[in-house]
Amino acid sequence: MSNNFRACPPGETLSRVWPHLGRFGITRVGRQTELDRIGIPVWCAYAPNSRAIVIAQGKGLDDVSAKTSAVMEAIERSVATQPYCSTLMASLNDLAASGHATDCLEDLLAIGAQPIEAMEQIRWSQAHDLAKNASIFVPFEAIHLDRTHVRPRFWVSSDGLASGNTWHEAVLHGLLERVERDACVLWNVGEPAHRHERRIDPYSIEDEGIREMLEKIFSADFDLALFDVTSDLAVASIVALLRPKGDDGSLRYVDLTMGAGASLSPELAAARAVSEAVQSRMTFIAGARDDLVPELFSRRADPAHLQLFRARCTTNLSELPTMSAVSAQDALDRLVETLLGGGIDQLYAIELAPEWLPASVVKVFAPQLEHPDGDRRIRLGSRALSKGFL
């Protein structure tokens, strides 16, 4: 597998954070792999009193990677519900008078919420502007993940939330998630024929780790469809669709799952997409996540999604763009440079983790990129609307 720019192996990361799980309310970590017949490792971590989703999941090529992934996701959510970043009570006018840059993040306003007024006193937090290498203030309410708030002003989402052994590592993965979500939205708003165009031939993949995952999937009698959804930003982005073989008419919504990934390396993007599709299937099998509703299990599979499995393979993985880097910092610099070249220059990151945690948890904002579905006042941004398919 290509370099994922992690500062240390997953097992070392796990050993560092393990003594702190109790402080985050994480009480149990479990292996879910055998609940399904595919065999790709999936683990979960429980935080019963969480102010967000109680169950976090993680996936990987091996048990240690999947276990670490689940634990780190649980830590991310716990930290984000009560961020350790400092806040400042001020108005837009106050900050402007003090020479501070601000972004009101109006793209993240919740349905029915009003924009911030110039004289309105609210809580702000200081983020780092990745494009300008400077500080910028953003509304604190757009940062946190506390779902106990009634009528929040901003969309409460984990989009752009990421962790890592270091700041650069966490920001890199948070920004890649934003790129991935943007690419998926642009792919979904396109005409059906466009979505069918760039199906990746799984037999063109040479990476041993991915081939091992594919072998497990095919041996378990599943179909997998991989699509190149890379946008104009030229960062490798892939969608994976997974379904059991059989009659289309018998398939439910929960039988067809999707995963996505974006990376400087097409191999890593593919690995993330495939393993996430498997993890999503496990989410439905376990049935324990608190954001699942019973109606999902009786809903029929979307015919449009089933049609994607009939698309011809026209693309090899090696055709996707690749960026080389020697470290997480180098990779982040190259990614930011690429986004700037594509006209994406609003890129902010803020550290949320306490100083005593031997890891970084960040929230990354990229207002010019598209967001996944959510309870937002603005559903689609200019990149999606400019495609002219709506």
Side-chain angles (χ1 to χ4, degrees):
M1 185 68 62
S2 302
N3 192 340
N4 63 3
F5 308 111
R6 296 293 188 186
C8 63
E12 185 175 336
T13 300
L14 186 62
S15 65
R16 288 177 181 177
V17 301
W18 190 265
H20 303 283
L21 298 192
R23 298 180 72 170
F24 293 117
I26 301 168
T27 60
R28 289 174 291 157
V29 179
R31 188 174 192 260
Q32 294 182 313
T33 311
E34 274 68 41
L35 294 178
D36 197 4
R37 64 179 188 268
I38 294 177
I40 293 174
V42 178
W43 282 66
C44 62
Y46 293 81
N49 293 322
S50 173
R51 298 187 183 192
I53 295 173
V54 169
I55 300 175
Q57 286 180 298
K59 69 280 187 187
L61 296 179
D62 54 59
D63 276 324
V64 174
S65 297
K67 184 178 182 180
T68 304
S69 174
V71 166
M72 293 305 289
E73 181 164 316
I75 289 175
E76 288 172 20
R77 290 180 179 170
S78 178
V79 168
T81 58
Q82 295 178 288
Y84 288 77
C85 55
S86 60
T87 62
L88 171 68
M89 184 67 72
S91 69
L92 271 170
N93 284 355
D94 293 336
L95 292 172
S98 300
H100 295 300
T102 58
D103 192 320
C104 294
L105 300 176
E106 292 191 5
D107 58 305
L108 298 181
L109 284 170
I111 295 172
Q114 296 302 310
I116 298 167
E117 297 181 359
M119 297 295 292
E120 184 181 355
Q121 295 284 321
I122 68 165
R123 295 168 72 191
W124 300 83
S125 287
Q126 188 173 349
H128 183 70
D129 187 325
L130 301 172
K132 297 178 180 177
N133 193 26
S135 63
I136 186 167
F137 281 85
V138 296
F140 174 75
E141 198 172 347
I143 296 170
H144 72 74
L145 191 61
D146 188 345
R147 297 186 184 275
T148 65
H149 284 207
V150 178
R151 292 189 297 276
R153 187 172 195 167
F154 289 86
W155 176 45
V156 181
S157 168
S158 62
D159 190 29
L161 181 66
S163 60
N165 296 290
T166 66
W167 157 266
H168 292 103
E169 198 177 290
V171 175
L172 171 65
H173 291 283
L175 188 53
L176 282 170
E177 179 173 87
R178 291 294 297 113
V179 170
E180 168 208 308
R181 302 288 170 81
D182 174 81
C184 287
V185 171
L186 296 181
W187 183 64
N188 276 311
V189 300
E191 295 284 359
H194 167 73
R195 292 199 295 275
H196 287 236
E197 281 176 358
R198 294 187 59 80
R199 183 174 180 179
I200 298 170
D201 182 357
Y203 297 102
S204 72
I205 300 174
E206 299 179 356
D207 183 271
E208 290 185 7
I210 302 174
R211 291 180 70 88
E212 182 180 336
M213 284 197 292
L214 296 180
E215 178 60 31
K216 289 180 177 179
I217 288 169
F218 297 146
S219 296
D221 212 24
F222 281 81
D223 281 334
L224 179 74
L226 296 173
F227 289 90
D228 171 19
V229 300
T230 305
S231 73
D232 57 299
L233 300 176
V235 179
S237 303
I238 293 174
V239 160
L241 293 165
L242 180 69
R243 56 159 286 180
K245 291 181 179 178
D247 176 38
D248 286 0
S250 66
L251 293 178
R252 302 167 299 163
Y253 174 86
V254 297
D255 292 320
L256 197 158
T257 55
M258 188 185 90
S263 178
L264 277 64
S265 154
E267 290 79 13
L268 270 177
R272 287 173 182 158
V274 172
S275 58
E276 187 174 272
V278 172
Q279 176 183 286
S280 297
R281 175 175 163 80
M282 189 67 75
T283 300
F284 292 127
I285 291 173
R289 261 183 59 151
D290 29 341
D291 58 346
L292 296 181
V293 294
E295 291 76 16
L296 290 178
F297 294 86
S298 57
R299 186 187 302 174
R300 307 314 303 170
D302 186 338
H305 288 164
L306 292 172
Q307 278 292 118
L308 289 167
F309 287 91
R310 298 187 177 91
R312 291 190 309 109
C313 292
T314 60
T315 305
N316 291 337
L317 188 67
S318 59
E319 297 174 38
L320 275 65
T322 300
M323 285 184 271
S324 59
V326 297
S327 66
Q329 182 173 354
D330 185 31
L332 178 59
D333 289 344
R334 289 175 182 269
L335 179 58
V336 169
E337 182 181 356
T338 297
L339 296 179
L340 290 175
I344 308 299
D345 57 5
Q346 293 171 254
L347 304 167
Y348 321 132
I350 182 167
E351 178 65 63
L352 309 182
E355 292 184 0
W356 46 262
L357 180 68
S360 175
V361 177
V362 302
K363 176 76 171 181
V364 174
F365 297 101
Q368 294 156 309
L369 297 180
E370 297 295 330
H371 301 282
D373 286 342
D375 297 326
R376 293 187 312 279
R377 176 176 166 171
I378 300 174
R379 178 178 170 237
L380 296 173
S382 60
R383 284 172 56 75
L385 295 175
S386 68
K387 292 181 73 69
F389 294 130
L390 302 179

